[in-house]
Amino acid sequence: MSESNDLRIAVLGVGMMGADHVARITDRIKGATVAVVNDYFTEKAEEIAAGIPGCRVVNDPLDAIADPGVDAVVLATPGPTHEKQLLACLEHGKPVMCEKPLTTDVATSLEIVKAEAELGKKLIQVGFMRRFDHEYEQLKALIDDDVFGRVLLAHCVHRNPVVPPSFDSSMIVKDSLVHEVDVTRFLFDEEITSVHVLKPAANPGAPEGLQDPQIAFFSTESGRHIDVELFVTTGVAYEVRTEIVAEKGSAFIGLDVGLVRKYGTGAGTGRSGAGMYGGEITPSFKERFGQAYDVEIQRWVNAVRTGAETGNYVDGPGAWDGYAAAAVCAAGVKSLETGERVTVEMVDRSSVPGA
């Protein structure tokens, strides 16, 4: 660490997400500073670095990882570069916050899991920020505290106003559905065993060739079923909602008004009644999950700063979670292509000691 005892971070990739992390670390996170930035577009990196005292531009991402003035790394680079960059982080013993995906395919994601496990240290955290959102944390607590009895199923909605022209139908699975994959695993503490993606009538306003909306169905190890509406060209706003339905009641998040509960007899406090809700919809993911990103990065920084004592530099989803998400999304893409329910193919976690 630096003489000021701040964690010195290299941010690789300073496009929209990376630049947002730079601003977050500089303005709102305690105990860390951005020491190095890197981007394919050197001019962009130089512009970002110029606004941070003492920050340097390192043009090669692998050199930035190896730099002795760097304690930890934030990866906000394109997915195809992650495998090589993550392996470099492991080689140099540098803790890393990796924005999803872990890697772009199942096989290389598993290799990353194995490589980290061989080190005997947890160095990789994956940026599934919803786990740090206060509403998702409330929902998780309700499930863990058995407030409603056994949760039977869940309904999810994921809507974007617009996507880039390069967005294709498989990216709805890999870039959007992936978050519901991690939410399902987080809330229920079990793996998803199958995926079935249906193709409703396409939105006339969607780019030509884009299958939007899509409907996905997950089945989990214990037999729970989760349905997800994915609609990424609504032209309206950014909407993410989740409802759990249990034997004694239900709970709903994502209305920008906090958690809405509906109680049945014998659940929680024993009261019955309905919640009230209303308000405006957030325009983008940055507003909806800004608080979650702040908490995510602060907790990661805290974990890295104490990691030498524990051997664990992670406080949140790790490499295994990135691998599991890749496996489920691979099944989802296959289902999108075939129209059939597809079994998720994953190795058993116990087969990778330390994973």
Side-chain angles (χ1 to χ4, degrees), residues 298-318:
Q298 184 65 72
R299 282 175 50 178
W300 172 66
V301 166
N302 295 346
V304 171
R305 288 169 59 85
T306 60
E309 304 166 13
T310 64
N312 179 23
Y313 298 80
V314 171
D315 183 4

Side-chain angles (χ1 to χ4, degrees), residues 39-121:
D39 196 89
Y40 177 81
F41 297 100
T42 305
E43 298 83 0
K44 178 65 174 176
E46 290 174 345
E47 176 187 341
I48 294 288
I52 305 169
C55 184
R56 297 176 289 121
V57 174
V58 176
N59 291 327
D60 187 300
L62 300 184
D63 288 343
I65 292 168
D67 194 296
V70 167
D71 302 310
V73 178
V74 170
L75 283 189
T77 48
T81 68
H82 286 185
E83 179 189 8
K84 184 178 290 186
Q85 293 168 0
L86 286 168
L87 289 173
C89 289
L90 295 178
E91 177 186 353
H92 293 284
K94 301 285 179 76
V96 53
M97 166 63 74
C98 177
E99 285 298 337
K100 56 92 177 165
L102 183 67
T103 72
T104 52
D105 64 81
V106 181
T108 54
S109 288
L110 181 56
E111 290 307 308
I112 294 295
V113 170
K114 291 178 177 178
E116 183 191 50
E118 289 174 0
L119 291 178
K121 295 187 289 187

